[in-house]
Amino acid sequence: MPVNEFLVLWLSSWAAIAFFRIAPAFALRGRTLSPRITEALGYIPPAAFAALVANDLASRRVRRGTLACLGSLDCGRRRRGRGGQDKIDAVVLRLGHRTLYRLEPYIGVASRVLNLVPSQLVEFFTELVYFFWYHGQTLL
Amino acid sequence: MVLKIVRTVWPVMLTYVAIGAPCGMIMGQTGMERWMVFALSSTFVTGSGQFMICNLWLAGVPAPSIIASVAAISSRFALYSASLAPHLKSASKCQTLAVTATLTEEAYGISLANLVEKDDWGPRESFVLNVILIATWGVSCTTGGIVGTVVDVPTAIATFVCTSLFICLLFSQRLSRGNVVAAVSGAVSVAVCKFLGLTNIAVPASVVVGIAIALACDAVFDGRGARDAR
């Protein structure tokens, strides 16, 4: 990367980031905020971290990696658990896990043909539902 | 004081190493020299912005578009900064500048929790925390940039580490009706924004949506409570 292009990119982007970091704190500094504003500011952390998690989970690579890791951990726990039925459950869940991933592209195609629900949204919600179903089973 | 803060943030420092090293490698792959990697990572301190610059640069996107995209994705810092402001009442102008200019997501989460809960935590501690995390990030990225030219390190782990860190910070929030509504609305809004193709502003826009829905929900329940009381 040429030095002058890097300097333009670096300094301009840094100025924008610094503005976003510094300006609001100085604008609100020393002011007595209304209870409503204080309440709104208090909601920033949960909303922000949930949005960041959702943003990451909406990326297919992360979703697959996370689910695969959780699936492996979960099955490991079941195998060490309460005898034969748990092993069968683990195998069935594992197969279900794989089958769902195999069906995923077809679900995507079906939605595109119908042109009602976009494929990425179907994929996202399929995995979301599957995630809760899978861990609901484990917890119960 | 530094040791006390290091004892608090060492898990975050470890995740910064795990994320920073691959980030530095990617930056090295775009042709950035070592000083560039260090300068960029120790001033930006935002993985998403750095990854974005590298990806867009490699895709041949013009500089103004890259800057606009980085600015859009970094606009979330405005919300963090605004959220910290009421807790920096006792801080001087210099301290406020120091704390906010060095703000990162993880440092924000830890600082805010400590400013609210601990009496012995002030702007000075928040600034030292930020500096420790920035130093860790800068060194990790630069090391990744150097090592990346010699060793092939998997970069996929960075995304999982980052996600798990955000999950930890999310679950460290107080469990209340408003917080749950804000979190769920924010998460759903991200999915909607991504579906609509608004990827760059998905996070800041969703935070605003989450806050608005939580406030509206509070107003509805408070109104109902007042009516019931009457």
Side-chain angles (χ1 to χ4, degrees):
Chain A
M1 187 183 279
V3 174
N4 40 351
E5 282 190 48
F6 169 77
L7 288 176
V8 169
L9 270 180
W10 173 39
L11 294 175
S12 312
S13 307
W14 181 70
I17 295 173
F19 173 78
F20 287 127
R21 278 181 171 143
I22 297 164
F26 273 88
L28 298 175
R29 190 172 170 272
R31 291 192 182 183
T32 310
L33 303 173
S34 71
R36 209 72 178 150
I37 300 282
T38 312
E39 193 185 359
L41 294 176
Y43 287 137
I44 291 176
F49 292 126
L52 289 165
V53 171
N55 189 48
D56 284 353
L57 292 178
S59 144
R60 176 184 283 218
R61 194 173 61 162
V62 174
R63 261 182 294 148
R64 292 203 163 184
T66 310
L67 282 172
C69 289
L70 288 170
S72 310
L73 288 171
D74 208 34
C75 290
R77 203 177 71 185
R78 279 175 166 260
R79 265 188 226 107
R80 286 193 299 275
R82 301 180 296 271
Q85 187 56 46
D86 287 342
K87 284 179 190 167
I88 295 164
D89 284 355
V91 172
V92 171
L93 284 169
R94 204 81 179 130
L95 284 173
H97 200 204
R98 289 184 181 187
T99 312
L100 191 100
Y101 279 150
R102 296 222 167 186
L103 285 172
E104 191 186 2
Y106 298 104
I107 296 167
V109 170
S111 70
R112 274 199 292 276
V113 171
L114 289 170
N115 202 22
L116 291 172
V117 186
S119 58
Q120 70 266 31
L121 202 65
V122 171
E123 284 171 19
F124 177 74
F125 283 117
T126 308
E127 293 200 15
L128 198 70
V129 168
Y130 179 70
F131 178 84
F132 286 111
W133 170 79
Y134 185 90
H135 288 280
Q137 293 265 322
T138 312
L139 290 171
L140 293 170
Chain B
M1 183 177 69
V2 175
L3 273 178
K4 193 182 89 179
I5 293 170
V6 168
R7 273 201 291 271
T8 311
V9 296
W10 69 266
V12 181
M13 288 167 74
L14 284 181
T15 60
Y16 270 29
V17 173
I19 304 165
C23 186
M25 285 171 56
I26 294 167
M27 289 165 83
Q29 283 165 13
T30 59
M32 283 188 199
E33 292 169 30
R34 287 166 197 178
W35 71 267
M36 292 177 179
V37 175
F38 184 73
L40 195 75
S41 46
S42 48
T43 48
F44 273 33
V45 206
T46 158
S48 50
Q50 287 171 225
F51 279 119
M52 182 172 270
I53 282 195
C54 299
N55 289 335
L56 296 181
W57 172 260
L58 287 173
V61 175
S65 301
I66 299 178
I67 295 161
S69 302
V70 173
I73 204 168
S74 305
S75 56
R76 65 189 188 278
F77 285 111
L79 297 164
Y80 305 153
S81 174
S83 164
L84 269 183
H87 304 284
L88 295 174
K89 271 182 187 165
S90 59
S92 66
K93 273 187 183 174
C94 281
Q95 283 177 326
T96 308
L97 180 68
V99 172
T100 52
T102 54
L103 202 60
T104 68
E105 256 131 19
E106 295 76 19
Y108 159 73
I110 297 166
S111 278
L112 189 63
N114 284 316
L115 283 166
V116 171
E117 289 166 11
K118 291 184 182 171
D119 292 332
D120 60 344
W121 190 281
R124 209 162 147 239
E125 282 75 14
S126 294
F127 176 62
V128 173
L129 166 77
N130 292 355
V131 170
I132 290 170
L133 290 181
I134 285 176
T136 312
W137 178 255
V139 171
S140 305
C141 286
T142 314
T143 311
I146 296 165
V147 173
T149 53
V150 187
V151 186
D152 185 27
V153 181
T155 53
I157 193 168
T159 45
F160 307 130
V161 171
C162 204
T163 312
S164 57
L165 191 62
F166 290 141
I167 290 172
C168 286
L169 288 167
L170 173 64
F171 281 94
S172 66
Q173 301 302 312
R174 193 167 52 88
L175 190 65
S176 68
R177 187 189 63 208
N179 279 358
V180 170
V181 171
V184 173
S185 320
V188 172
S189 174
V190 163
V192 173
C193 284
K194 288 210 151 193
F195 163 58
L196 295 173
L198 305 168
T199 311
N200 285 350
I201 58 156
V203 173
S206 302
V207 175
V208 174
V209 170
I211 295 164
I213 294 176
L215 285 176
C217 189
D218 272 357
V220 169
F221 279 100
D222 291 349
R224 193 174 291 169
R227 277 199 303 277
D228 291 347
R230 278 202 298 273

